[in-house]
Amino acid sequence: MAWTREQMAARAAKELRDGYYVNLGIGIPTLVSNYIPSGVDVQLQSENGMLGMGPFPFEGEEDPDLINAGKQTVTQLPSTSYFSSADSFGMVRGGHIDLSILGAMQVAQNGDLANWMIPGKMVKGMGGAMDLVAGVKRVVVVMEHSAKDGPKLLKSCNLPLTGERVVDMVVTDLAVFTIDKHGHDGMALIELADGVTLDEVKAKTEAEFRVALTNT
């Protein structure tokens, strides 16, 4: 039985550490804000100029002026600060973000990431993903394990790259993988979702990986 979007976000939230400055991408990664572990104090940063985002608001309590980079309404905290988009990207490019959690269309076994466009389809813009993966200290991808046309974990990406050798961990609805983006230890399967078998993961993964399960 595969993990739900909420369970994937909760698993990704386990990678948060006290004192981290964290950027959450659009989609499933935004749900991570609802699963920050107890006792862990992190600052969530949004490219549109907000540091210190709180969880999503309850229905009826939304403030249309408080939005994240994906135009979703969010809440503020007593420690929240606001600044220009230029300052926000200066924070990213300056290496001040400890962790970025984002979605992807494809991830290669060497850590290459493709998540910004599909050739032939309309693209509103590349957003900040290229800056994020180049400037942050650690990158965790949260995505569905497979697309309609096949695997998303590949030997090499065939979509335009967002970054080369930038991904450190992948959390899918079936499993969790670590990637040594420096090329020494390759890609490793470290966890299976509840009820998911190793054979199922192998059948749905093109990328080569070693098995280093910690939850069996």
Side-chain angles (χ1 to χ4, degrees):
M1 182 177 179
W3 278 332
T4 63
R5 290 165 55 92
E6 288 74 19
Q7 288 172 314
M8 293 162 65
R11 174 58 186 86
K14 292 182 180 180
E15 299 306 307
L16 302 175
R17 299 292 181 269
D18 196 50
Y20 267 16
Y21 289 83
V22 182
N23 184 283
L24 302 180
I26 297 170
I28 299 174
T30 60
L31 299 174
V32 171
S33 63
N34 291 331
Y35 296 97
I36 298 173
S38 177
V40 175
D41 181 24
V42 300
Q43 294 291 327
L44 300 180
Q45 188 257 11
S46 183
E47 299 105 290
N48 58 324
M50 186 176 182
L51 181 66
M53 289 188 295
F56 287 117
F58 292 108
E59 186 175 355
E61 298 181 0
E62 302 92 341
D63 182 341
D65 291 325
L66 289 178
I67 60 172
N68 60 21
K71 298 181 174 59
Q72 296 169 303
T73 53
V74 294
T75 59
Q76 65 179 358
L77 304 170
S79 59
T80 299
S81 58
Y82 302 93
F83 35 84
S84 72
S85 180
D87 288 332
S88 177
F89 277 95
M91 186 182 299
V92 171
R93 294 166 183 165
H96 303 292
I97 304 299
D98 298 289
L99 175 66
S100 177
I101 302 177
L102 39 74
M105 299 168 188
Q106 295 177 344
V107 175
Q109 63 193 38
N110 67 345
D112 288 354
L113 170 69
N115 79 339
W116 76 278
M117 75 166 295
I118 298 176
K121 294 193 176 183
M122 186 181 73
V123 181
K124 294 181 179 179
M126 65 180 63
M130 292 179 182
D131 295 275
L132 285 166
V133 298
V136 303
K137 298 171 184 175
R138 190 161 184 260
V139 173
V140 173
V141 167
V142 183
M143 67 179 188
E144 301 291 339
H145 198 93
S146 303
K148 293 180 180 179
D149 58 352
K152 297 175 68 172
L153 289 168
L154 307 172
K155 292 181 179 178
S156 60
C157 298
N158 53 50
L159 292 175
L161 293 184
T162 307
E164 296 182 352
R165 296 182 179 273
V166 294
V167 178
D168 297 281
M169 174 178 279
V170 181
V171 178
T172 78
D173 52 329
L174 301 183
V176 181
F177 299 84
T178 57
I179 298 177
D180 180 359
K181 58 191 180 188
H182 302 294
H184 302 300
D185 294 323
M187 185 174 178
L189 170 66
I190 62 169
E191 292 180 34
L192 293 172
D194 296 338
V196 174
T197 66
L198 177 57
D199 287 341
E200 181 180 358
V201 171
K202 287 182 176 180
K204 295 180 178 180
T205 307
E206 180 193 287
E208 296 179 356
F209 62 89
R210 59 188 175 86
V211 179
L213 291 171
T214 59
N215 65 336
T216 56

